[in-house]
Amino acid sequence: MPARHVLASLFAASALGASLFAHAENVTLLNVSYDPTRELYQQYNKAFSQWYQKESGDSVSIQQSNGGSGSQSRSVIEGAPADVVTLALAYDIDAIADRNAGVPKDWQKQLPDNSSPYTSTIVFLVRKGNPKGIHDWGDLTKQGVEVITPNPKTSGGARWNFLAAWSWALKQKLGDLGKLHDPRYAEEMKAATAYARDYVRDLFKNASVLDSGARGSTNTFVKNGQGDVLIAWESDALLASEKLDKGNYEIVVPSLSILTEPPVAKVEGNVKRKGEAAEKAADAYLKHLYSPEGQRIIADNYYRPRNTDGIPQQELRLFPKLELVNVDEVFGGWAKAQKTFFADGGVFDQLQQR
């Protein structure tokens, strides 16, 4: 090839590279998340940024905010510039949507599995040897047992804890939770509700510290050495027992717990103001959670993946099978549960006053 043609080809290639580079975007996203997801998103954010740059050419930097899910939801309502929210329960994202704070009303239809790319549940963490003999929910109200759980007014995890405890108490009286909405068992349901109120009241009498978020409660139990039993997200209990201080803690799986489905959503109102590149990156960020890489990172951080293909069995064995109740089936969904139990003047407030 003549020298002038070689030079022309080099100049053309250089110009094409410069053109591609010129069109590459630098995008920053803010993920406002709930308390225990720090390690999960630290790993995921790095992996996503690397994957997305290869796919799109755009450079994405993700900033992370963690706190009690209810508090985080209120911060977005009050103007925190979240591009995506990854919170502990659907009600906290519904609250953002209800106040026209940038999340569409149909946000749960935007992604598979009601926009919940992973699940978890509630278990107990006790100290090595289980010195107080904690085996099920009934043991948490024994005299001399100090319980650590966060505050349901600010923490999504605490609300899951509360409803799991309430469900267990209902079952002690009803035997079959299928009776809940059958009018033939109205009197039994009345007695079961009274029993549940007394049980949960006694449980919170044993709760010495009500931290604002679930991770704060984990730190109170693990780092500060307070309490005999921590009511915890399974992910935080596994983190403590497998990594933070391996060998000094044991997980107790109760006879019944609750299926937790932490959801994710794009805050469209905020992302749109940043432009098309940010919108595409935010969409990809949430969708990639469902990818094989995203699901593997989810399992690595002790959350239950929706898709277990390709995830090592030794990781999956960490997630025991247990009876799980569903918030929709037992409590009529999160909107009703929030109003009944956790709104100002609700059941939790009433129990605290007694």
Side-chain angles (χ1 to χ4, degrees), residues 123-339:
V123 298
F124 308 147
L125 189 68
V126 298
R127 305 193 188 281
K128 184 178 180 180
N130 194 3
K132 291 297 179 79
I134 306 297
H135 301 292
D136 208 347
W137 290 99
D139 297 319
L140 304 189
T141 58
K142 289 180 179 177
Q143 186 174 358
V145 172
E146 185 181 0
V147 176
I148 303 297
T149 181
N151 190 335
K153 303 293 282 189
T154 54
S155 166
R159 280 172 277 173
W160 287 116
N161 294 354
F162 186 106
L163 296 185
W166 190 277
S167 299
W168 175 86
L170 288 178
K171 188 172 182 182
Q172 302 316 293
K173 288 298 180 183
L174 292 175
D176 178 8
L177 290 177
K179 296 178 180 179
L180 281 172
H181 308 295
D182 190 329
R184 293 176 299 174
Y185 301 102
E187 287 302 313
E188 288 184 51
M189 183 59 193
K190 184 177 179 181
T193 300
Y195 178 81
R197 288 179 70 95
D198 289 342
Y199 166 74
V200 175
R201 179 201 63 213
D202 291 345
L203 187 159
F204 276 91
K205 282 183 179 178
N206 279 358
S208 58
V209 179
L210 294 179
D211 290 289
S212 61
R215 179 54 59 85
S217 286
T218 300
N219 289 337
T220 293
F221 186 76
V222 174
K223 293 185 177 181
N224 299 341
Q226 293 180 243
D228 301 305
V229 54
L230 171 71
I231 310 176
W233 288 96
E234 181 181 55
S235 55
D236 253 20
L238 284 167
L239 177 68
S241 63
E242 294 290 320
K243 285 188 176 179
L244 295 182
D245 201 352
K246 190 174 177 66
N248 286 324
Y249 301 95
E250 298 176 14
I251 293 176
V252 174
V253 179
S255 62
L256 176 146
S257 194
I258 195 163
L259 174 67
T260 66
E261 297 182 288
V264 303
K266 181 175 68 172
V267 186
E268 292 184 2
N270 290 340
V271 180
K272 284 183 181 295
R273 286 191 285 271
K274 290 186 173 182
E276 184 179 356
E279 283 194 80
K280 289 180 178 178
D283 285 333
Y285 181 82
L286 297 180
K287 289 177 181 177
H288 195 63
L289 285 164
Y290 294 84
S291 71
E293 180 180 47
Q295 294 287 289
R296 187 173 65 253
I297 292 171
I298 283 165
D300 286 347
N301 287 274
Y302 308 118
Y303 296 88
R304 298 184 180 218
R306 291 289 192 178
N307 184 355
T308 60
D309 292 345
I311 296 174
Q313 283 300 311
Q314 63 265 28
E315 290 190 24
L316 296 177
R317 279 195 289 270
L318 292 172
F319 307 122
K321 292 183 179 180
L322 71 160
E323 182 179 359
L324 297 175
V325 299
N326 183 292
V327 69
D328 293 330
E329 295 170 359
V330 176
F331 298 101
W334 262 112
K336 185 176 180 180
Q338 177 70 25
K339 181 178 180 180

Side-chain angles (χ1 to χ4, degrees), residues 49-62:
S49 294
Q50 293 172 348
W51 171 82
Y52 192 69
Q53 188 161 32
K54 290 178 183 177
E55 290 290 310
S56 69
D58 290 350
S59 174
V60 180
S61 173
I62 298 102

